[in-house]
Amino acid sequence: MEVMMNTNSSNSHSCIDMSGGEEDQINMMMDGLRRGPWTVEEDFALINYIAHHGEGRWNSLARCAGLMRTGKSCRLRWLNYLRPDVRRGNITLEEQLLILELHSRWGNRWSKIAQHLPGRTDNEIKNYWRTRVQKHAKQLKCDVNSKQFKDTVRYLWMPRLVERIQAASAITGDSSSVTTTTTPTLNKNNMDNDVTGLLALPKNCFGNNQIKPADTEEKSRTAVFSPVSDLTDCYFPIIQSQNPDFFQSNNQIGNGFDGSLISPAGYFNPNLDFEAVVEQNNQWLGGDFSDNLW
DNA sequence: AAGGCTGACAACCGCTATAGT
DNA sequence: TACTATAGCGGTTGTCAGCCT
């Protein structure tokens, strides 16, 4: 059984063609192990070995596959790039929203966050956070861990993302893109902080990613988000006053994210000076900043 | 056109947790 | 119980394409 390479990458780095002088670009460790970018031949060797023998025992796998790589390197290459179900390409708006939400809950628990974004790797999410989100925090001249920044994310960026998701949904006329009924396939055994009800994601928000039910590990990574929340009581009361359109649109069940969208405990902070947040952001960026950001 | 800068991403490193002996 | 090997995680670095001057 031969395994097809993951060829749908949009990243120019992803397919390393080092034919011709490649040895010059690959560093050799003192013990003869290779490091640096993977060659196509190495990728094929790893893919084919795993196809025949499966994952696990990465050090011995590296040796048996004839790869002059550490087990760690093989594992990382497989998990972050070669796995057939790795989803590549731009982070969608829905995924951005989910990342923001989950990060607000769990912080830099990238692998945990990645578990709820099928096909995305912790490395990818981490890179996204560092290159996009932290960049914006830097632009705003505030610490990414500051309350100020977190409030901005919660009460301004995330609602704006929802609006854009809905706008995109309206343009495409994809009324079916909203998950109003779901099959509770969430593997709660593997989700110690259940996100059921956290987000009602459009059905197609994960694109063409095919999560195979038979993939034992991946099964646990496949979260189907129910629109039914047990945390709807305090849903964005502040936003309602600041942005009636947003509130209204988000209460149209079946036309986007319903009231269950974002309502973890702590979202509504009665002490938050929301107007101050808005005002300061407008000062920072001179108007509609979130479009610039996202 | 050339050099510098920046963003994005792949890969590595160090550390910790866990399993096996 | 102690030790070792392995897996996994998060932080950091290296590389390269594209943009800017």
Side-chain angles (χ1 to χ4, degrees):
Chain A
M1 176 178 63
E2 297 294 320
V3 176
M4 295 299 291
M5 289 274 291
N6 187 350
T7 57
N8 62 343
S9 171
S10 60
N11 184 345
S12 59
H13 298 220
S14 59
C15 187
I16 302 150
D17 182 4
M18 290 194 164
S19 54
E22 72 181 55
E23 293 300 334
D24 295 338
Q25 300 176 47
I26 296 288
N27 298 322
M28 298 291 284
M29 298 173 76
M30 293 297 288
D31 53 8
L33 294 174
R34 296 168 74 98
R35 55 190 304 190
W38 280 63
T39 66
V40 174
E41 290 76 18
E42 286 178 309
D43 282 346
F44 269 115
L46 181 57
I47 289 169
N48 283 324
Y49 187 89
I50 291 175
H52 285 97
H53 302 94
E55 300 177 37
R57 292 283 173 182
W58 292 103
N59 279 337
S60 60
L61 183 154
R63 283 194 304 272
C64 296
L67 291 162
M68 302 301 288
R69 296 275 184 173
T70 65
K72 282 179 94 170
S73 180
C74 292
R75 174 183 164 272
L76 221 54
R77 182 64 177 169
W78 174 254
L79 293 178
N80 288 339
Y81 186 75
L82 297 176
R83 265 189 318 163
D85 57 339
V86 168
R87 182 161 189 254
R88 312 199 66 79
N90 293 337
I91 304 284
T92 65
L93 294 175
E94 290 86 352
E95 287 173 321
Q96 291 177 30
L97 185 61
L98 190 52
I99 290 169
L100 291 177
E101 162 55 24
L102 294 180
H103 187 274
S104 74
R105 279 191 159 197
W106 298 327
N108 295 356
R109 301 288 303 279
W110 306 118
S111 65
K112 194 179 179 77
I113 293 170
Q115 287 175 3
H116 302 297
L117 287 128
R120 299 295 188 185
T121 67
D122 55 353
N123 207 33
E124 193 172 13
I125 294 169
K126 179 171 59 180
N127 282 332
Y128 165 76
W129 185 266
R130 296 186 67 83
T131 57
R132 318 288 224 289
V133 179
Q134 287 198 347
K135 179 184 73 176
H136 298 318
K138 193 177 177 181
Q139 286 175 349
L140 297 176
K141 292 182 171 58
C142 64
D143 188 89
V144 74
N145 294 316
S146 67
K147 180 178 179 297
Q148 186 182 54
F149 184 74
K150 288 176 179 175
D151 285 341
T152 302
V153 169
R154 277 182 188 165
Y155 300 109
L156 291 171
W157 294 4
M158 291 173 69
R160 179 54 55 89
L161 270 174
V162 174
E163 287 178 346
R164 293 181 62 185
I165 290 165
Q166 290 191 316
S169 179
I171 288 171
T172 60
D174 184 11
S175 61
S176 67
S177 68
V178 177
T179 306
T180 53
T181 57
T182 56
T183 305
T185 58
L186 200 64
N187 186 342
K188 296 193 178 212
N189 292 332
N190 208 28
M191 299 177 70
D192 49 349
N193 279 308
D194 186 10
V195 297
T196 301
L198 186 62
L199 293 175
L201 292 173
K203 285 177 184 173
N204 60 350
C205 74
F206 294 125
N208 296 324
N209 186 45
Q210 298 291 324
I211 305 298
K212 303 177 188 67
D215 292 345
T216 53
E217 181 185 353
E218 293 312 310
K219 214 190 294 183
S220 66
R221 297 165 64 99
T222 305
V224 177
F225 299 94
S226 164
V228 180
S229 173
D230 56 351
L231 294 165
T232 55
D233 297 348
C234 56
Y235 176 57
F236 272 8
I238 295 177
I239 298 299
Q240 181 181 14
S241 62
Q242 293 291 327
N243 188 344
D245 290 340
F246 167 76
F247 183 82
Q248 182 180 9
S249 61
N250 280 286
N251 277 284
Q252 296 171 352
I253 295 176
N255 186 30
F257 291 83
D258 64 19
S260 66
L261 174 61
I262 304 157
S263 54
Y267 258 49
F268 173 54
N269 180 356
N271 298 319
L272 174 69
D273 186 353
F274 185 74
E275 289 188 9
V277 172
V278 173
E279 176 62 25
Q280 181 159 18
N281 277 289
N282 286 336
Q283 287 176 354
W284 278 330
L285 292 172
D288 190 2
F289 63 92
S290 58
D291 279 347
N292 297 327
L293 296 173
W294 301 105

